[in-house]
Every structure is written in structure tokens, then in C-alpha cells.
Amino acid sequence: MSTAWSDRLGIRHPLVCAPMGGVAGGRLATAVSRAGALGMIGMGSAGSPEALARELVLVPDGVRVGIGLVDWVMRSRPELLDAALAARPVLLSVSFGDDFDWVARAHDVGVATVTQVPDVAGAERAAAAGVDLIVARGLEGGGHGRPLSGLADLLSRVLAAVEVPVLAAGAIATADDVRRVRDTGAAGVWVGTAFAACPESLLDDADRTAMLRGTDTVLTSEFDRRSGYAWPEDVPERVLAGEPRSIDAGLGVRALTAARPAGDVVESLAAGLYA
């Protein structure tokens, strides 16, 4: 497994905490990065320059983190991309769009780029646009995504189609999960749900408790409709089933047993990279 990309980002473990909107803030990003992986600040459906600034001030000097944006939110508020690039993150993620004009802007200021894809066509477009990393996101993943293929099938097809390093995403919550995708050829992992219940996340106590007791998830656009968010109907979100509010969770939620510090989660997942 090549680690050239992780060396470029200055991380010991080829493991990225997904930029979950409303979950992955400055404290979580800092804790993940300090543990040797890459933490990211997520600007989701309600992302704004002001919200990004509030999270960036929580990242101490010298700690390198990434920033994740949603394409349609960024298009509606162009100043959000300006603010993200001005922060000089180690990695910029923009997903759920087909226009890759942001890649050149990031590269112009020395920022590496990544995007999530649900199919081979998306991976090929991203590679042609010059992204540095591609995330093969299986339908098992929590939050928003196009649920087209399970991770195993998607990962094998994307790996065969592009030469860009590919990270695996979707129900990766244990060291065994990491070993499985590594053996398939993934350059690393992109993990969300396993970090969501960490005490450093932005979740409140009630939602964290729900994450720890939850086992079932459902794909829905209902919460987006209620909130007036402009997510396309073919990009539902995977949330905990039976909850009256949106709590994003992938199938990996079944592996959560305690609210462990982010550093401990990194350590347990990273064990699967070297076994």
C-alpha cells in the first residue's frame, strides 16, 4: 500500500476523519491530527465562513487539519471557499458536485484536494480534473451520499479505473474493516461514524447517547425537506432509524460501544493498517 500521499500530508497513518457537518469541528479535527491521522473540519448543509472561523480558532498553531465543503453550499456562498483556502488546510474536500473548478484554485495556493465519488464515472471525472485523492464512498456510509453500490464492489471498480490514490469509505469502524479494504488495495481509509461519538465531536449528549445505543439506520430526505436544505433527491442521508431528528450514522454504528477519545479511535483503527 503506497503511503506517498499520507507522507505529503504529514500524517503517520493513512486515515482521514470524514468532514462531517455538525460533528467534525475544530476540537475533533485537532484530536485526530494529534494522534497521527488527519482530522478535518466539516462545513455541511449550514456551512458558512462564520461557522468555519469558529471552528478554526479551536485548532492550535502547528496542528495541521483539513476542511470539507459541500459543493452546492459552496456555490451558494462563494465566500466559503475563499475562507477555506485562506486557512491553508492540509487538504480540501469538496463533494456532491460535478464542477471541479475549485481544484485549480486549491492547487494554486498549495492545498491538496479530495472528493467523494459513488461510481466509476465520478471517479474518472475527478481524476481527469486533477484531484489528489478520491474517496470511494459505499452506500453503507453515514450522512449524505448517492447510495449506488456497496463499498466492496465500488472500491474494486474504482481502483481498476483510476491511478489516483483511493480511500475507502462506508462502515469502516474496526481494525478488521481497515484490514479488509487495505487488502483490496485501498490507499487508506475515510472514517466518519467511528469518530462521531467521541467526546471531542460537536454532538450533544443526547445525540451521542443515541449513537451508542443505535443499531439500525435508514436512508431518507425527510429531514432535508423539513430544514429547507437543497440536497438533490438522489442524495439522501443515512441516519439513525427511529429518531425524531437527523443523526447521521453509517452501518458502522453497530460497532460503537463507548464514547472513546478520538486518539484511542485512531490507535485502534490504525492497528489494522499494519497487522
Side-chain angles (χ1 to χ4, degrees), residues 31-230:
V32 171
S33 290
R34 280 179 164 167
L38 180 63
M40 298 192 73
I41 294 173
M43 290 288 104
S45 307
S48 69
E50 296 77 18
L52 178 58
R54 287 194 296 271
E55 297 307 323
L56 284 170
V57 297
L58 301 177
V59 180
D61 290 343
V63 177
R64 290 159 60 83
V65 302
I67 295 173
L69 309 179
V70 174
D71 187 89
W72 66 263
V73 177
M74 179 186 75
R75 303 290 171 188
S76 66
R77 299 201 64 174
E79 66 273 21
L80 182 54
L81 177 59
D82 296 336
L85 292 177
R88 296 298 189 271
V90 65
L91 184 66
L92 175 68
S93 168
V94 179
S95 296
F96 313 114
D98 295 322
D99 189 336
F100 289 93
D101 55 346
W102 55 274
V103 174
R105 287 195 57 190
H107 287 169
D108 284 346
V109 293
V111 174
T113 57
V114 61
T115 193
Q116 300 175 65
V117 303
D119 55 21
V120 169
E124 291 175 335
R125 286 194 299 271
V131 297
D132 301 287
L133 294 167
I134 289 173
V135 177
R137 184 192 185 281
L139 58 78
E140 302 94 335
H144 290 90
R146 290 186 173 89
L148 302 181
S149 301
L151 176 58
D153 178 56
L154 175 63
L155 180 60
S156 64
R157 290 188 290 114
V158 170
L159 286 169
V162 300
E163 296 183 1
V164 178
V166 178
L167 309 186
I172 297 174
T174 68
D176 286 342
D177 297 329
V178 174
R179 274 191 291 270
R180 184 182 68 254
V181 296
R182 183 198 65 173
D183 290 345
T184 303
V189 292
W190 175 275
V191 179
T193 299
F195 287 108
C198 292
E200 299 94 338
S201 85
L202 292 171
L203 288 185
D204 61 26
D205 289 341
D207 286 358
R208 184 171 288 108
T209 298
M211 288 284 292
L212 295 175
R213 69 171 182 241
T215 58
D216 297 323
T217 65
V218 62
L219 289 168
T220 181
S221 296
E222 178 59 29
F223 296 111
D224 292 328
R225 286 191 288 267
R226 289 186 199 173
S227 300
Y229 292 139

